[in-house]
Structures are given as C-alpha cells and as structure tokens.
Amino acid sequence: MIEKALIGKPEAILLVEFAGEQREDQLRDLGRLVELMGDLGLPGSVVEMPEPGPQAALWEVRKAGLNIMMSMKGDGKPVSFIEDCAVPLEHLADYTQRLTEVFSRHGTRGTWYAHASVGTLHVRPILDMRQDGAEKMRAIAEEASAMVRAYKGAYSGEHGDGLVRSEWVSWQFGPRLTKAFEAIKELFDPENRLNPGKIVRPSRMDDRTLFRFKPGYHGIDYKPALDWSAWNVQNDPRTEQLTAPGSGGDPTGGFAKATEMCNNNGHCRKFDAGTMCPSFRVTRDEIHLTRGRANTLRLALSGQLGPEALTSEAVAQAMDLCVSCKGCKRDCPTGVDMARMKIEVRSARRMSKGLSVRDRLIGDLPAMAPWARRLPWLFNLAWLVQPLMGFAKKRALPKWRHDTFLATTEVDAADATVVIFADTFSNNFEPEILHAARRVLEAAGHRVAVAWPAIGSRALCCGRTYLATGQVDKARDEAERLLEALHPYVQRGVPVVGLEPSCLFTLRDEFLALGLGERARATAENAFLFEEFLAREKKAGRLALDLKPIEQKTALLHGHCHQKAFGAMSAVQEALALVPDLAVKPIDSSCCGMAGSFGYEAEHYAASIAMAELSLLPAVRQADSGALVVADGTSCRHQIADGANRHALHVAQVLDRALA
C-alpha cells in the first residue's frame, strides 16, 4: 500500500478526502484536484485512490504513522505541548515554516502529523526532558504562542488544556472569562482538590517537579538477563540518527529505557485497540494494564519504590495477570513490549527468591517429555494431584502421547526444500497436527525434512516454557541446540516451518534478545508459520496444491495473540481460502485467556475464563454445530474445549482434510 501511495520519496504526504452523497460528484472533484495541481506546475503529483479497499488501507497507514513517530528510541522524544495550536488555514503554511525555524534555532526538529484541513497540524518537537528539554520547551512555547496570537488562532485547538498548556491560554478567553473561571473553581472546589493547576491559576509548564524525569532522576544498577541494548541509545534530534546499541548510558542496560517508552497515552485502555490489554478488559484496574505495569517498572528501575523493588511483591502483583499476549508490542503506539519485560522481571525474581515447584514443572516440561513418552499412562495420572501442584481442578491437563510425531514420522527427504520444526507441544500432545502439515507440504510438491537433535539428545525445543518461568539461561541453552540443528538448512536458504505460533515466534522474537548472534538473526529471517509459508509460496506463484471442497462450508477462525502481534492473521485466512467453497469468519476477539500455563494455574483460572468469555467463547457457542472452529494455538484449542466443549482444528488439519 505504501508503495502505491507514494511518488518518489516525498518529505510529506497530504491525504485529500472528498465526501458527498453521489460517487460521481466525488470522482469529478478528484479530477478537478488533478487538474489544479497540473495548473500549479505539479503534474503527476496526485495519486488517485477512488476505491474503498485501498482507501481503508491507506487510513490504516496514517494511523500507524503516529505509532512510528512516538516509538522513537533514545532520550530525545517528541514532546506534546504546542501540538494543539490552530491557525486560520490561509496562514498554516507560513506558521509551519516559521515554527520549523524556531525548532532549528533550538537545535531540534518537529514531527508533524494530523489534519491540515482545519489548521491544526499536530507537531511535537524532539526534546530530551532529562537534560535541557524544559528550558527549550518554554522558549519554544513562548514563540509559538506569540505566533498563534498574531495569526488570531487558538493555542488549544482540539485536545484541551492541562498542566502544559494552561499557562498560555488566558489570552484566548480574556480577563473577564478568566476571572469567571476562577470564581467557579473557588465556589465548587474551594480546597483546590480537583485538577489543580489546570486552566485556573496554572503551574509553570517547565516546573520539573511535576515531570516524569524530576531533578536527580537516574536508574538503578541492574544487569539484565535479556539483551535490551537496542533501547540503550541516544538520538540526534535533528537527524533522528541513533548511536550504537548499548551506548545510551542506561545502568540497567536499556531495560529502564524500554519501560520509559510508555508515554501514558492510554491507548491500552481502549476496548477497540486490537488485542491489548486482556487483563485490563476483565479487571478495569490500572495496575493490570500495559501503562500501569510500565509505570510500575519505571518507578522500580529508577529507585522510587525502594531497594530491591524489581523483585518485590508490588511488582509481582502488577505483572501477575499479564498473559504475555504481545498485543502491546503491536497495538501500543510506542511499542511497549510487556511480554518481554515480564520475562525479565520473572528472571530477576527467580534469582532472588527461587522457583516454586509448579514453575519447575512447567519450565522443565521439555526435559520431562522423553520420560512421558515412555510412560504416558503414568504422567497422565497427574490429574489426581493437580490441585496439590497449584493447577485448577476444573482444567483438563494435556494428554501425553506415546506416538509422538518424532517417533512416527517418515524419514527425511533428500535435498529438502522445507524443514519442519516440531515444537514440544505439537510433538508430544497433538502429533496429528505435524503429520497433517507434512502431508500438505508434500502434496504441494515439497521435499520435507524434520529438525532433529544431536544423537543421544532429547527433542529440540524453543525454550518457551523456560522463558515463561524466568529461567533465561536454560532457555538460551535450548535456543542454542535448536539453532545448531537448523543451521545447515538456514545456510542453504531452506525455510523453517513451525506449527505452534508461540514457539515459532520465539525464534523470531525472544531468540534475538538472548545474545545468540548472527545465527539467531539468520534463523529468525528464515522461520515461518505453516500458513505464512503457504501464503509466501502462493504470492511467489510457486504453490501447487490441489484441494477439494470439504463437508463443512463455514470456518470460525480465532487468531492466536502472537499471530495478531506479528501480522500473520491474513496468512491464516489466505491458507483457509485455498479450500474451495469454505467461508471463513474471523472472531473479533482478544486473548483466549489460556496463555500457556496461565489458564491452568488455580489462582488465574477465573481471570482466564473471564477473558475467554469477552467474545471468544460466546462466538463459538453460537456457531452452527456443523461449522469448523479453527485455532492454531494449542492453548486456544484447549480453552475452546474447556469453555465451549468444541474441538478446534489447526489450519494444517483443515487443509489436510481437503487434499484431493
């Protein structure tokens, strides 16, 4: 979409939208715009986009622009204090140019965004509020206010007044109205408890005692378990160029700077914000919100919650209901990655306080797997003692299998064109999914190999369970074994295909934070979900898969949180669309609530079910009994089985049914 909307490499883009009752009138106006730009000496400068589909996609790009702008790394950030100034449209170009010159005089530049048509271009200059940002902010505000007043504009055009703007708006209302505001405030709030310092008798906008980065703000000394060096950088406000990773001077190695990416915009409080934030959706409590957690961690990492705060009960409580959905990684405008932060916090707490028996069992699931395959009947008796181990008695634990995929699959094809990564969950609990994927890949003409461990070693694993319990060193060991096994294929450019989203995306995400070097990066670039791989082959014109209609004509699709976070949902729909006459209906849902071991844990059972009841389980219950329910995540399928008594399929199983 971006390529279609651009001509060359412009410094800015103006979206012009025509509205009206008749499409013909709108098309005529669009034609007039093209003529006008030609008359102005700019022929070919208009990209015409009259169809609804591309229009909607372009507006999504526009929304993403704010995310990109606000996700700037380094101490310099776009700061909001004059972004709401509005001037009459005929003065907007002049105002914009003059304000750009103001920024330049103060050694910075502005990030521009929003709606030019009403004279309100939201601009945020890049300032370092730890250093001299407060002084520059006041100086810029003084000049901007004078310009807006000269143009007979408004200092607050849309967003309202608060601690930053109240000092500058009295001239808009005049002395009589300002005194009236003060009288009303004294009458209804004589003790000045409600929003003090806003509009009436405001504080100074550069009073640093009111800032996040107060005088003397600094981070604690902390050596993180994960690599946060990408956040530990400085930026040049004029060019936005970053210094080398690890050069930002953060004593927490970049962890604190990552938490500081949260700018309190509150997007995570919305209920139409995609996946995030499942725990807030069911509790409505700020502590169980991405923003609340980020602020808690920021205060802990800056010493404001006392010594050893990172391993305290207060921080543990804030992180407790985080289901590591990674919704914030995609949906948060500043890209706060709370799932990764939870791994770091659990690692710190483990090193300080040790592990519970339950966490040891969860973490060591890959190590137990060889024994469970030999004695599945014994391990499947765990339901007798699951309440004693801290698991909810209402849950049905996954069943260990003797006929694992690795024990029953065929030999590798010579000169493989694709290699399957058999994750711990699919291999041991649902091997039929891996078998189905192999049959589909072979039916598409691929020579299939499987990633095998070194002789005498147990099956490969991504280390997901170790990461979830804060055992980063053990996760790193698992990652190194897997990378070693995949390396010969990655070197030859053979795609790595995984079936379980949380495991496959560990290769593309957490592996890059474990300090594993070039091998991890190369593997991440070459690793695909099963459906992503098929969609990639189809786009390249290489997919030859002969499928027939199946008995079911409707598929209800629930997306795994990590599929949503990494933009893989379109690939799932493309894969299902390969089945003739199958109508795919995505469920508009957030997290299923199971989230690995989270939903099995006794103290989290109620929250887990509440998350599922928001939309997923009602949608499944209302579905026709003859419809397929499709969910690629093993946790999602178990939640659907427990909560709606429906058996959900992996997309590979659906395609396998349709093989001609």
Side-chain angles (χ1 to χ4, degrees):
M1 174 49 60
I2 294 177
E3 290 81 3
K4 293 179 181 178
L6 296 183
I7 300 174
K9 295 183 179 180
E11 292 186 16
I13 302 172
L14 177 64
L15 305 186
V16 180
E17 185 177 60
F18 295 98
E21 297 294 330
Q22 301 298 324
R23 177 174 171 80
E24 292 76 15
D25 294 340
Q26 298 170 32
L27 292 173
R28 184 172 58 252
D29 289 340
L30 177 57
R32 290 175 58 197
L33 175 63
V34 174
E35 291 179 10
L36 174 62
M37 296 307 295
D39 293 342
L40 292 174
L42 297 169
S45 61
V46 177
V47 177
E48 299 181 60
M49 200 167 286
E51 299 304 321
Q55 288 175 2
L58 188 60
W59 281 119
E60 288 301 315
V61 173
R62 186 259 188 190
K63 291 179 183 178
L66 179 61
N67 296 9
I68 295 170
M69 183 179 74
M70 297 306 296
S71 61
M72 186 181 298
K73 293 177 180 176
D75 290 347
K77 305 286 188 191
V79 180
S80 172
F81 61 101
I82 59 167
E83 95 290 345
D84 212 26
C85 294
V87 299
L89 201 55
E90 61 269 22
H91 300 306
L92 183 60
D94 189 36
Y95 169 74
T96 301
Q97 180 59 41
R98 290 178 61 189
L99 197 57
T100 298
E101 294 169 358
V102 170
F103 296 154
S104 181
R105 286 200 301 274
H106 291 283
T108 187
R109 62 183 291 271
T111 56
W112 300 85
Y113 181 78
H115 24 65
S117 61
V118 291
T120 307
L121 264 178
H122 296 327
V123 57
R124 295 172 171 88
I126 301 169
L127 301 174
D128 182 355
M129 302 308 291
R130 301 166 185 263
Q131 303 297 330
D132 57 356
E135 292 80 3
K136 290 183 177 181
M137 183 171 70
R138 169 164 287 278
I140 292 171
E142 288 173 348
E143 294 193 56
S145 178
M147 276 191 280
V148 170
R149 193 169 185 178
Y151 288 128
K152 300 188 184 302
Y155 198 83
S156 294
E158 179 190 9
H159 293 164
D161 308 318
L163 293 173
V164 172
R165 281 191 285 274
S166 292
E167 186 180 355
W168 306 97
V169 298
S170 61
W171 58 265
Q172 293 182 170
F173 305 112
R176 289 182 61 194
L177 276 179
T178 299
K179 288 182 179 179
F181 292 157
E182 293 173 354
I184 293 171
K185 176 73 169 175
E186 290 172 357
L187 180 63
F188 288 96
D189 184 21
E191 296 182 9
N192 197 31
R193 293 185 177 185
L194 306 177
N195 281 328
K198 297 177 182 177
I199 301 179
V200 171
R201 289 184 286 276
S203 55
R204 285 178 59 89
M205 58 132 26
D206 55 345
D207 181 357
R208 287 194 63 191
T209 63
L210 301 175
F211 287 8
R212 164 184 287 194
F213 303 120
K214 296 176 174 58
Y217 182 97
H218 62 86
I220 63 172
D221 289 324
Y222 171 73
K223 183 178 181 180
L226 299 176
D227 180 8
W228 298 93
S229 62
W231 284 267
N232 190 15
V233 294
Q234 295 291 352
N235 58 30
D236 183 332
R238 292 178 183 268
T239 64
E240 297 184 31
Q241 292 295 309
L242 299 178
T243 59
S247 63
D250 183 354
T252 71
F255 183 29
K257 286 182 183 287
T259 68
E260 292 163 4
M261 292 296 292
C262 175
N263 65 1
N264 292 332
N265 63 74
H267 189 66
C268 44
R269 292 180 63 91
K270 297 181 179 180
F271 295 99
D272 61 347
T275 301
M276 74 169 182
C277 175
S279 53
F280 179 73
R281 294 186 185 205
V282 297
T283 65
R284 310 294 176 97
D285 191 333
E286 179 80 15
I287 193 176
H288 299 304
L289 179 69
T290 304
R291 180 174 70 180
R293 294 182 180 109
N295 278 325
T296 299
L297 291 177
R298 177 177 57 81
L299 293 172
L301 292 169
S302 59
Q304 297 181 65
L305 297 182
E308 309 301 325
L310 192 60
T311 60
S312 68
E313 289 301 321
V315 170
Q317 182 186 3
M319 304 302 294
D320 184 50
L321 294 187
C322 173
V323 292
S324 300
C325 66
K326 301 190 182 183
C328 47
K329 181 183 178 73
R330 179 179 178 88
D331 298 336
C332 172
T334 58
V336 171
D337 189 351
M338 194 52 60
R340 184 179 293 188
M341 293 177 188
K342 184 173 182 177
I343 294 171
E344 187 67 59
V345 171
R346 296 211 67 169
S347 173
R349 188 171 175 85
R350 176 191 63 80
M351 289 189 286
S352 173
K353 303 182 184 301
L355 283 174
S356 67
V357 172
R358 185 180 66 188
D359 281 351
R360 289 186 185 278
L361 289 172
I362 293 170
D364 284 334
L365 187 142
M368 288 190 293
W371 299 100
R373 185 179 72 82
R374 295 184 181 95
L375 299 167
W377 61 270
L378 178 61
F379 280 76
N380 287 334
L381 290 176
W383 65 271
L384 293 171
V385 293
Q386 71 185 62
L388 299 178
M389 295 185 292
F391 296 107
K393 60 182 179 181
K394 294 183 180 180
R395 289 291 187 194
L397 296 177
K399 299 297 183 184
W400 293 95
R401 301 272 290 269
H402 175 71
D403 57 336
T404 63
F405 173 75
L406 293 179
T408 56
T409 191
E410 299 174 11
V411 297
D412 290 350
D415 194 21
T417 58
V418 63
V419 57
I420 291 178
F421 162 47
D423 63 273
T424 298
F425 304 101
S426 301
N427 179 46
N428 291 283
F429 302 126
E430 298 176 281
E432 60 273 11
I433 292 175
L434 288 160
H435 285 300
R438 180 163 194 163
R439 286 191 293 269
V440 172
L441 292 170
E442 289 175 342
H446 283 282
R447 299 183 296 277
V448 180
V450 176
W452 295 94
I455 296 175
S457 299
R458 59 177 169 79
L460 299 168
C461 178
C462 68
R464 181 83 250 163
T465 57
Y466 288 123
L467 290 171
T469 51
Q471 301 179 78
V472 176
D473 288 342
K474 287 188 176 181
R476 187 177 291 109
D477 291 341
E478 294 295 324
E480 288 176 341
R481 287 201 309 127
L482 181 54
L483 292 175
E484 181 68 24
L486 293 175
H487 183 62
Y489 299 101
V490 173
Q491 269 190 319
R492 301 199 309 269
V494 177
V496 178
V497 171
L499 279 295
E500 172 57 37
S502 61
C503 296
L504 189 282
F505 286 124
T506 298
L507 274 66
R508 295 206 335 224
D509 190 8
E510 284 84 0
F511 273 26
L512 302 180
L514 292 174
L516 299 173
E518 178 59 25
R519 278 193 179 186
R521 187 199 62 77
T523 301
E525 293 176 354
N526 205 51
F528 306 91
L529 278 179
F530 171 78
E531 56 269 22
E532 288 183 308
F533 176 71
L534 292 182
R536 174 176 176 259
E537 293 295 286
K538 181 175 180 290
K539 184 177 180 180
R542 296 190 296 260
L543 185 63
L545 192 57
D546 187 14
L547 300 180
K548 65 180 187 299
I550 58 177
E551 179 183 352
Q552 297 85 359
K553 301 304 177 187
T554 302
L556 202 64
L557 173 63
H558 168 70
H560 187 286
C561 291
H562 296 181
Q563 287 176 310
K564 299 170 187 173
F566 288 88
M569 284 306 297
S570 60
V572 188
Q573 293 177 259
E574 284 186 57
L576 289 171
L578 296 172
V579 180
D581 305 327
L582 182 65
V584 181
K585 296 181 179 180
I587 301 173
D588 185 11
S589 58
S590 179
C591 180
C592 76
M594 188 63 92
S597 64
F598 179 88
Y600 289 100
E601 295 163 0
E603 70 274 23
H604 296 144
Y605 175 79
S608 169
I609 292 297
M611 292 177 194
E613 290 289 0
L614 288 174
S615 54
L616 172 59
L617 293 183
V620 174
R621 293 191 195 105
Q622 293 167 13
D624 185 89
S625 60
L628 291 174
V629 179
V630 182
D632 280 359
T634 183
S635 296
C636 308
R637 291 190 295 275
H638 280 267
Q639 183 76 299
I640 291 168
D642 283 356
N645 198 28
R646 291 287 294 266
H647 178 65
L649 299 177
H650 190 284
V651 64
Q653 294 172 293
V654 179
L655 298 188
D656 183 44
R657 288 186 179 187
L659 288 177

